[in-house]
């Protein structure tokens, strides 16, 4: 700590902080988290100058318990008492307020490592409830910084319910906000998501899904997804009285999305080796449509049944261009060895 007559006071801290065998539980001894080891190696923390430099931050074996009850309340909503100002809207910050807040803090983390994490997830809100576990969570970030124009690299991997692998890596810059991400998800079982899909479907859909894509985000162009690949194998569902479909492979290759152009597309869509039966119901609808659950109509005011209120037109900011009309393009659609009966 330094004080001088011609300079502002200085407070600097450096050193190693290590925590072992941390456990946090909620009321009723419900576990919230377990942390075997946390290590923070600080090279220079200048609090008054808002300059925080870390050589390494390492988290080993974190185990987190995440849950939601049937009322839709997350477990962390009970950690803090409700505040009296919850109902008050936050006022937008003006330029003068931002200037009064001072310059943005500088944060640098040369290496961040998250090793062998576990997340237990329990959700009582959907019908039947849902439980899942993510294990082997490994993540690393190198050269993280809040400096404008500089980016950091990251990677993430985990195993969901011991059968679905998820991998992601890329780069991130905070100022300006830009990101590139490569993702890959393999071995996802559709039937595991039935508690959530049951809100939209009348019958369970079985199958295994693999997904991969490249994504970029910039403030100027928004979100862009390229090199998308979607593969579903062993798809099957039953609907109507005795109808259903069985499909060996459903592929979408070379898919993409462009937020600025408001468009989606794919180089190829392919359906291979399957059977499907479709019937006409007594109300003249097709049986396959019964797979979709009818959503309750939105409540309308007296004398306005069946009429949907028009959405208000969004006003454009000065210099802002109106959004482009949505468009799509599929270059090739292939059907191979698919038999149908009507």
């Amino acid at each position: 700590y330094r004080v001088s007559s011609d300079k502002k006071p200085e407070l600097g801290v450096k050193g190693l902080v290590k925590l072992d065998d941390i456990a946090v539980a909620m009321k009723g001894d419900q576990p919230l988290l377990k942390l075997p080891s946390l290590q923070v190696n600080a090279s220079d923390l200048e609090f008054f100058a808002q300059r925080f430099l870390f050589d390494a931050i390492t988290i080993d074996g974190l185990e987190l318990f995440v849950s939601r009850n049937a009322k839709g309340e997350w477990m962390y909503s009970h950690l803090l008492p409700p505040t009296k100002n919850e109902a008050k809207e936050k006022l937008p910050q003006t330029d003068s307020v931002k200037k009064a807040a001072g310059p943005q803090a500088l944060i640098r983390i040369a290496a961040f490592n998250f090793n062998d994490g576990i997340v237990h997830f329990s959700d009582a809100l959907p019908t039947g409830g849902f439980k899942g576990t993510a294990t082997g969570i490994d993540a690393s970030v190198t050269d993280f910084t809040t400096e404008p124009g500089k980016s950091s690299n990251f990677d993430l991997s985990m195993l969901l319910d011991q059968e679905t692998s998820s991998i992601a890596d890329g780069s991130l810059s905070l100022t300006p906000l830009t990101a590139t991400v490569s993702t890959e998800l393999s071995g996802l079982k559709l039937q595991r998501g039935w508690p959530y899909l049951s809100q939209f479907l009348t019958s369970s859909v079985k199958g295994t899904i693999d997904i991969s894509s490249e994504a970029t985000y910039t403030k100027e162009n928004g979100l862009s997804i390229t090199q998308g690949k979607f593969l579903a194998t062993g798809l099957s569902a039953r609907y109507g009285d005795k109808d259903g479909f069985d499909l060996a492979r459903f592929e979408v290759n070379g898919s993409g999305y462009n937020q600025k152009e408001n468009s989606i597309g794919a180089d190829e869509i392919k359906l291979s080796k399957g059977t499907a039966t479709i019937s006409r119901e007594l109300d003249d609808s097709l049986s396959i449509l019964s797979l979709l659950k009818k959503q309750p109509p939105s409540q309308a005011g007296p004398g306005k049944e069946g009429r949907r209120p028009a959405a208000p037109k969004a006003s454009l900011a000065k210099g802002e261009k109106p959004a482009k009309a949505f468009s799509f393009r599929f270059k090739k659609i292939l059907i191979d060895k698919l038999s149908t009966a009507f």
Side-chain angles (χ1 to χ4, degrees), residues 32-98:
L32 179 62
L33 67 85
K34 296 178 181 178
L35 180 58
S37 176
L38 167 63
Q39 185 168 302
V40 179
N41 192 345
S43 58
D44 187 13
L45 306 182
E46 300 178 15
F47 291 92
F48 295 155
Q50 295 189 8
R51 187 170 180 267
F52 308 99
L53 310 183
F54 299 88
D55 287 332
I57 298 177
T58 303
I59 300 174
D60 291 321
L62 174 66
E63 189 171 6
L64 185 63
F65 299 82
V66 181
S67 61
R68 183 169 63 166
N69 61 26
K71 298 180 181 178
E73 299 172 337
W74 293 96
M75 79 294 177
Y76 52 76
S77 64
H78 302 287
L79 295 178
L80 298 174
T83 61
K84 296 180 180 180
N85 298 326
E86 279 184 345
K88 294 184 178 180
E89 296 183 358
K90 293 184 178 180
L91 297 175
Q93 286 190 335
T94 61
D95 292 338
S96 59
V97 173
K98 292 180 181 179

Side-chain angles (χ1 to χ4, degrees), residues 69-208:
N69 61 26
K71 298 180 181 178
E73 299 172 337
W74 293 96
M75 79 294 177
Y76 52 76
S77 64
H78 302 287
L79 295 178
L80 298 174
T83 61
K84 296 180 180 180
N85 298 326
E86 279 184 345
K88 294 184 178 180
E89 296 183 358
K90 293 184 178 180
L91 297 175
Q93 286 190 335
T94 61
D95 292 338
S96 59
V97 173
K98 292 180 181 179
K99 290 180 180 179
Q104 181 182 4
L106 172 62
I107 301 175
R108 291 181 190 167
I109 304 175
F112 172 84
N113 293 289
F114 183 98
N115 305 316
D116 201 23
I118 300 175
V119 176
H120 304 275
F121 180 66
S122 177
D123 192 357
L125 182 61
T127 303
F130 176 84
K131 290 185 178 181
T133 303
T135 57
I137 304 175
D138 294 322
S140 66
V141 181
T142 56
D143 299 324
F144 174 83
T145 180
T146 57
E147 289 182 88
K150 293 190 176 182
S151 61
S152 58
N153 299 319
F154 68 90
D155 61 74
L156 170 68
S157 64
M158 69 181 73
L159 189 63
L160 306 176
D161 295 324
Q162 301 297 324
E163 59 183 5
T164 304
S165 64
S166 177
I167 301 173
D169 62 77
S171 61
L172 172 69
S173 174
L174 295 182
T175 310
L177 181 58
T178 60
T180 62
V181 184
S182 300
T183 58
E184 183 177 336
L185 182 71
S186 59
L188 178 64
K189 303 291 184 182
L190 274 175
Q191 50 268 41
R192 284 283 293 134
W194 173 244
Y196 300 101
L197 294 176
S198 62
Q199 302 177 54
F200 312 101
L201 302 177
T202 58
S203 177
S204 174
V205 177
K206 298 180 180 180
T208 304

